[in-house]
Amino acid sequence: MLSRNQPQVYARRLRAVLLRSIPLLEARGIAVVILAGVVGVMAGILVTAMSQIVQDLHGLLFGVQPGGRLSGMFSLANPMQALIPAVGGALLGLTVIWLRLRKFRTPVDPIEANALYGGRMSLTDTFIIAGQTMISSGFGASVGLEAGYTQVGSGLASRLARIFRLRRNDVRVLVGCGAAGAIAAAFDAPLTGAFYGFELVIGIYSVANVAPVMTAAISASLTAEMFGGVPFPLELSGLPQLTPSQYVPFLLLGLLGGAASIAIMQLVTLIERGFNRLSVDASLRPVIGGVIVGLLGLITPQVLSSGHGALHREFAMNYGLTVVASVFVLKLAASAISLGSGFRGGLFFASLFLGALLGKAFAGVMALISPATGIDPSVAAVVGMTSLAVGVVGGPLTMTFLALESTRDLTLTGVVLAASIMAAILVRETFGYSFSTWRFHLRGETIRSAHDVGWMRSLTVGSMMRKDIKTIDASTTLADFRKQIPLGSAQRVIALGPGDQYVGVLIVAELHSDPAGGEVPVRDLAQYKDAVLVPSMNVQAAAETFQRAGAEELAVVEDFTDHIVLGLLTEGHLMRRYAEELEKARRDLSGEG
């Protein structure tokens, strides 16, 4: 029988054998690139497998023909199929009960893992999210699979990085490679996948990271193609030449896409809070949501699942303004209800579909109020698709490359990028979150991107404070203080009251030069009486406290209620440690040392 430590022993032995047999692996950069290629292959296989499982469920449950798409159907074959999302909700509710009984914590996704935990992800979290996402989308809930794709790619990459005992920054890069490979495989778009990894999961574009991320994206895309992955490219032909006068309307469309993305994120939150107020258990909420989504699916199946078929239908056919607006409202409601009721998935593909509908509606309105502008509906759909998705998902370059790789039309790139930047600026300045980071905010987290701030959180006051401090009774007179603490014997002393409660900081040099009478108690001369630190504060919170107090040194107390003194921290030591850790993080990022 295997002991608990034997898998780690085998992993270390494997790494040692590889290093001896493949000398190139001793070069850290080359080793990361090779591992990135392996991650890309795994991501391509798993993305294709997950997509096929969901397609098979659609065929089994909804009668979708091979090669067809659920959201591309014109109507459900049987009205009873409207109950299928509710059945999926019941299955999802059972997983909620099981997770509650097993006392699982909230799963960590790639962005959170890279921001707070140095890229460390749990395989258990990975398989839970992947399974729940496939149940949700497979039974028709209006969610995409992209969250499950990136979770699987990044989770396996994180485990592989830890097996080979990579450095913190290399683990983060490999997690980004897993997400990049997953998106590249899902959309047959290596550049899109690579910049998804850069912008959203790694948090920064770096020349040192280009090779591994691109290797993962290209290998994943090729692997998915080899195993029969369905390509995403949109077939657009005969598009008119863009004129300079059309850039202003398209920039306006970019702003509309950004505003719509904020409204969508807020709507999902409102519906989620509405479900939370219902006096029903969380395991029953997906059933209620599934019933509503199924009823919307009776009106049009375009609202079901992620929406691949519906998106292609919108580009292939020229619907009127009323139909486009109706589908937009129905899809928005279905996606918000699905996520708000507890179905697992994301808004990545839903935002693309909703953005395309918004673009077509915009073209229809412009044709009515300013026909001379000549806005082409297909071009407007691509611009709207990327603009709205930038607001929800984040990453203007990611969405620009998606438009380029999916349409194969280079002339669209400039206007798509301009509109995407307008959407990104609007969202950043007025809202400040993408959908992923907004959900972190609702949970009480403060992270807004995948930038590595975990080391900053681990650099706490408790780990930096000095414990060898001098204390004195606060009722001691100034004359006695000068006798007990001669000038030069210490720089600062902590004054304590009854029960060793903190009273304030005494600056020795100032008390020896103070003109006050010798009978004055040192309590009256103490400084920073209301400014203290606690051990759990991180470096950022401590620095803010120093700045507010205007102090160079502060006492560290047990908690804000019982001011039992534990130590002392100086602002100089705090900033020196912060600078050291920041330099270490910079060296890790640039590959130095």
Side-chain angles (χ1 to χ4, degrees):
M1 187 174 180
L2 290 175
S3 70
R4 293 183 64 182
N5 293 327
Q6 278 182 302
Q8 287 86 350
V9 172
Y10 292 149
R12 287 196 295 269
R13 288 176 180 173
L14 173 62
R15 183 174 183 271
V17 169
L18 288 173
L19 287 174
R20 287 197 300 268
S21 59
I22 311 176
L24 279 176
L25 288 180
E26 294 181 1
R28 184 176 63 88
I30 297 176
V32 173
V33 171
I34 293 173
L35 291 175
V38 174
V39 166
V41 171
M42 291 193 303
I45 293 172
L46 290 169
V47 165
T48 305
M50 290 174 65
S51 176
Q52 189 58 52
I53 289 171
V54 170
Q55 284 296 98
D56 291 343
L57 283 173
H58 290 168
L60 177 66
L61 299 173
F62 294 95
V64 177
Q65 297 301 310
R69 293 282 187 170
L70 173 60
S71 61
M73 298 172 64
F74 286 93
S75 64
L76 295 178
N78 187 332
M80 295 300 294
Q81 290 175 339
L83 295 176
I84 292 174
V87 176
L91 291 176
L92 202 63
L94 291 176
T95 68
V96 170
I97 295 172
W98 179 76
L99 292 173
R100 185 188 300 157
L101 293 174
R102 298 294 295 271
K103 297 182 179 178
F104 277 99
R105 59 176 175 75
T106 302
V108 174
D109 77 355
I111 296 175
E112 186 177 8
N114 265 8
L116 300 180
Y117 306 113
R120 295 177 65 89
M121 296 177 66
S122 164
L123 278 183
T124 303
D125 289 357
T126 293
F127 294 134
I128 288 172
I129 290 179
Q132 289 181 329
T133 304
M134 286 190 290
I135 290 173
S136 299
S137 188
F139 279 77
S142 189
V143 294
L145 285 166
E146 290 75 22
Y149 291 159
T150 56
Q151 186 77 26
V152 166
S154 296
L156 290 176
S158 176
R159 176 52 60 93
L160 188 64
R162 286 155 57 194
I163 287 175
F164 282 88
R165 300 168 66 185
L166 298 185
R167 300 189 316 185
R168 179 187 181 96
N169 190 64
D170 292 335
V171 176
R172 296 181 70 256
V173 170
L174 213 59
V175 167
C177 290
I183 295 300
F187 291 95
D188 189 23
L191 287 173
T192 301
F195 276 88
Y196 182 93
F198 287 132
E199 292 186 299
L200 301 173
V201 182
I202 299 175
I204 190 171
Y205 174 85
S206 168
V207 174
N209 297 337
V210 171
V213 174
M214 284 303 304
T215 298
I218 293 171
S219 59
S221 183
L222 293 175
T223 302
E225 186 176 336
M226 183 185 306
F227 282 90
V230 179
F232 173 72
L234 302 170
E235 298 298 331
L236 298 179
S237 58
L239 294 179
Q241 288 291 327
L242 295 174
T243 63
S245 62
Q246 292 176 333
Y247 267 73
V248 172
F250 282 132
L251 292 178
L252 175 60
L253 177 56
L255 292 174
L256 289 175
S261 68
I262 296 172
I264 289 169
M265 290 185 277
Q266 294 279 25
L267 177 63
V268 171
T269 302
L270 288 174
I271 291 178
E272 187 172 23
R273 288 173 178 168
F275 273 100
N276 289 338
R277 291 192 186 99
L278 295 177
S279 57
V280 296
D281 190 78
S283 61
L284 296 177
R285 293 169 194 165
V287 180
I288 300 172
V291 171
I292 301 173
V293 171
L295 293 175
L296 294 175
L298 278 177
I299 302 174
T300 172
Q302 290 188 69
V303 306
L304 299 178
S305 195
S306 58
H308 283 75
L311 180 63
H312 283 271
R313 228 173 88 185
E314 285 299 326
F315 278 101
M317 305 182 74
N318 191 20
Y319 292 108
L321 179 59
T322 304
V323 174
V324 170
S326 300
V327 175
F328 179 90
V329 172
L330 292 172
K331 177 63 178 178
L332 174 58
S335 295
I337 291 169
S338 295
L339 290 171
S341 62
F343 281 99
R344 174 70 70 176
L347 282 174
F348 191 115
F349 205 91
S351 65
L352 295 176
F353 181 36
L354 289 169
L357 292 170
L358 178 67
K360 285 227 169 180
F362 178 80
V365 171
M366 289 298 294
L368 293 176
I369 63 175
S370 181
T373 310
I375 300 296
D376 183 80
S378 294
V379 175
V382 174
V383 175
M385 177 181 79
T386 53
S387 300
L388 195 148
V390 163
V392 172
V393 180
L397 288 176
T398 300
M399 294 306 162
T400 299
F401 281 115
L402 178 61
L404 174 61
E405 292 181 293
S406 60
T407 64
R408 308 288 197 261
D409 192 326
L410 188 60
T411 60
L412 286 178
T413 304
V415 69
V416 165
L417 179 59
S420 297
I421 290 173
M422 295 299 291
I425 291 174
L426 178 67
V427 173
R428 185 180 68 243
E429 296 299 326
T430 61
F431 191 63
Y433 299 93
S434 66
F435 184 64
S436 295
T437 54
W438 172 238
R439 296 182 78 76
F440 296 150
H441 169 73
L442 296 177
R443 279 167 31 197
E445 288 286 358
T446 57
I447 59 174
R448 296 193 179 216
S449 72
H451 285 286
D452 190 7
V453 296
W455 64 269
M456 190 183 298
R457 291 192 174 190
S458 64
L459 192 62
T460 62
V461 167
S463 67
M464 293 183 289
M465 70 179 184
R466 285 177 44 205
K467 297 181 180 179
D468 56 332
I469 56 174
K470 287 190 175 183
T471 61
I472 195 169
D473 193 302
S475 61
T476 303
T477 64
L478 179 59
D480 288 339
F481 175 87
R482 290 169 176 170
K483 293 176 184 178
Q484 294 179 37
I485 313 291
L487 189 63
S489 63
Q491 291 184 338
R492 56 194 68 83
V493 177
I494 304 296
L496 301 179
D500 291 336
Q501 294 282 310
Y502 171 76
V503 172
V505 177
L506 303 170
I507 309 301
V508 175
E510 292 184 7
L511 264 67
H512 274 272
S513 61
D514 196 287
E519 298 305 312
V520 175
V522 294
R523 175 194 308 275
D524 297 344
L525 304 175
Q527 300 183 35
Y528 318 127
K529 296 179 180 181
D530 299 321
V532 292
L533 305 172
V534 294
S536 60
M537 277 184 171
N538 61 36
V539 63
Q540 184 177 5
E544 291 172 355
T545 304
F546 274 112
Q547 185 176 13
R548 284 196 303 270
E552 295 181 0
E553 54 278 309
L554 289 174
V556 182
V557 299
E558 191 170 313
D559 56 55
F560 289 117
T561 303
D562 298 320
H563 283 194
I564 305 300
V565 177
L566 301 177
L568 187 81
L569 181 63
T570 65
E571 186 180 29
H573 181 66
L574 170 82
M575 300 311 295
R576 185 165 59 253
R577 284 296 311 279
Y578 173 74
E580 289 170 356
E581 293 296 329
L582 190 63
E583 177 62 18
K584 180 182 176 183
R586 187 197 67 78
R587 288 199 305 268
D588 284 344
L589 188 63
S590 62
E592 299 174 12

